[in-house]
Amino acid sequence: MEKVQIQNLSARYGERRVLDGVTLPILEQEILSIIGPANSGKTTFLRSLNRLAELEPSFRLEGRILLNGTDIYGPAIDIAALRRKLGMVYAVPVPLPRSIFENLVFGPRLAGTRDRARLEELVERSLRAAFLWDEVKDRLQESALKLSGGQQQRLCVARVLALEPEVLLLDEPCSGLDPISTRKIEEALQDLKSRYSVVIVTNNTKQAARASDRTAFFLSGQMIECAPTPELFASARDQRTEDYITGRYG
């Protein structure tokens, strides 16, 4: 079943067009990878899904993005609530200069959750989902800045999960991580897809091949093709896709 429908999506910053007529469904309980060379519009696509792109004054969007059938750019949309439903994790982890516990309850408190037992439940559940609980359960009052880079990134995943989103958006979440930390992130994503739709932008084609159910290839703002990941990597329909995933250009 389709969780998000992207219909003929085009976007520009001033006169510079960065997306051109992208139509793509995001399904429930799947991991969708977006791959492509630099300047293909991948990050703008991701940031359009939770309306972060419009924070740039020159940004303009055409087409529609529907979440559960509702146009997310409609006039009645609560943008703060929308961004809780489509949570974003960035390439560089940015934990708050607070304790691990306070990092995780900061968002729920802003959203109105005050009950201590409920907050503690969210902390444990989110850390377990991010495969981090066993490593930090006895350190919740320590500064999050003391965590390793890989742990900080999993903390940022947990921080988004604490807001109970419907879709998880990840922009190069493993770009600065070592192979062990990358594996832990990927293991967490496989577990999370049973409860969320996951969209991951990655420049690592091997990661897309390992971790995703479907893969979409973007080039110069256009979606060239999208297919089940094994099919795309075994027999891409478009020669440009084949050239990219085999490393002929990047």
Side-chain angles (χ1 to χ4, degrees):
M1 183 179 294
E2 294 181 0
K3 184 68 175 177
V4 183
Q5 296 172 299
I6 295 95
Q7 301 174 345
N8 198 30
L9 183 68
S10 296
R12 64 174 68 242
Y13 293 99
E15 297 301 314
R16 181 170 64 91
R17 181 179 288 271
V18 290
L19 290 172
D20 187 7
V22 173
T23 295
L24 177 65
I26 298 171
L27 308 181
E28 292 185 349
Q29 298 184 332
E30 77 155 358
I31 299 175
L32 170 67
S33 283
I34 310 293
I35 62 172
N39 300 314
S40 291
K42 305 186 300 295
T43 293
T44 296
F45 173 80
L46 207 62
R47 289 168 63 87
S48 296
L49 293 178
N50 70 349
R51 297 188 58 170
L52 281 174
E54 68 188 56
L55 296 177
E56 168 58 50
S58 65
F59 177 76
R60 297 292 181 271
L61 179 139
E62 300 172 0
R64 296 207 303 167
I65 301 174
L66 307 178
L67 173 65
N68 301 321
T70 299
D71 188 342
I72 68 169
Y73 283 83
I77 292 296
D78 180 333
I79 298 178
L82 174 74
R83 289 175 181 153
R84 290 194 292 270
K85 292 179 180 179
L86 294 109
M88 179 83 84
V89 177
Y90 302 93
V92 178
V94 186
L96 300 172
R98 302 183 179 201
S99 70
I100 295 168
F101 184 88
E102 288 298 323
N103 264 264
L104 290 164
V105 300
F106 185 81
R109 279 177 176 159
L110 282 180
T113 302
R114 294 287 183 270
D115 181 72
R116 178 76 182 189
R118 172 63 175 154
L119 291 172
E120 290 177 348
E121 175 194 350
L122 284 172
V123 167
E124 180 173 348
R125 189 173 67 192
S126 301
L127 288 171
R128 286 189 182 279
F131 283 35
L132 190 56
W133 173 252
D134 289 339
E135 297 171 43
V136 303
K137 61 184 178 182
D138 299 320
R139 305 166 54 192
L140 295 179
Q141 299 309 318
E142 290 184 15
S143 171
L145 301 178
K146 293 183 178 180
L147 297 175
S148 70
Q151 289 174 325
Q152 288 185 10
Q153 188 64 301
R154 280 180 285 149
L155 176 69
C156 289
V157 172
R159 194 167 63 192
V160 169
L161 297 178
L163 289 168
E164 302 183 298
E166 298 181 31
V167 182
L168 187 60
L169 310 173
L170 302 105
D171 190 5
E172 288 290 337
C174 302
S175 61
L177 301 184
D178 60 84
I180 293 175
S181 296
T182 295
R183 177 172 54 81
K184 289 181 177 180
I185 292 283
E186 291 176 1
E187 288 175 353
L189 294 180
Q190 291 302 317
D191 184 65
L192 290 170
K193 78 173 184 179
S194 66
R195 284 163 282 162
Y196 309 98
S197 300
V198 180
V199 184
I200 177 170
V201 163
T202 178
N203 288 324
N204 185 336
T205 56
K206 291 181 179 179
Q207 180 175 62
R210 286 192 306 265
S212 60
D213 301 297
R214 286 190 305 142
T215 298
F217 173 58
F218 281 34
L219 181 65
S220 300
Q222 295 183 319
M223 190 188 76
I224 303 304
E225 62 179 300
C226 180
T229 296
E231 178 183 318
L232 186 92
F233 279 85
S235 55
R237 296 190 305 272
D238 192 287
Q239 186 61 46
R240 293 168 293 180
T241 310
E242 176 72 16
D243 289 345
Y244 180 74
I245 63 180
T246 56
R248 294 191 181 97
Y249 71 90

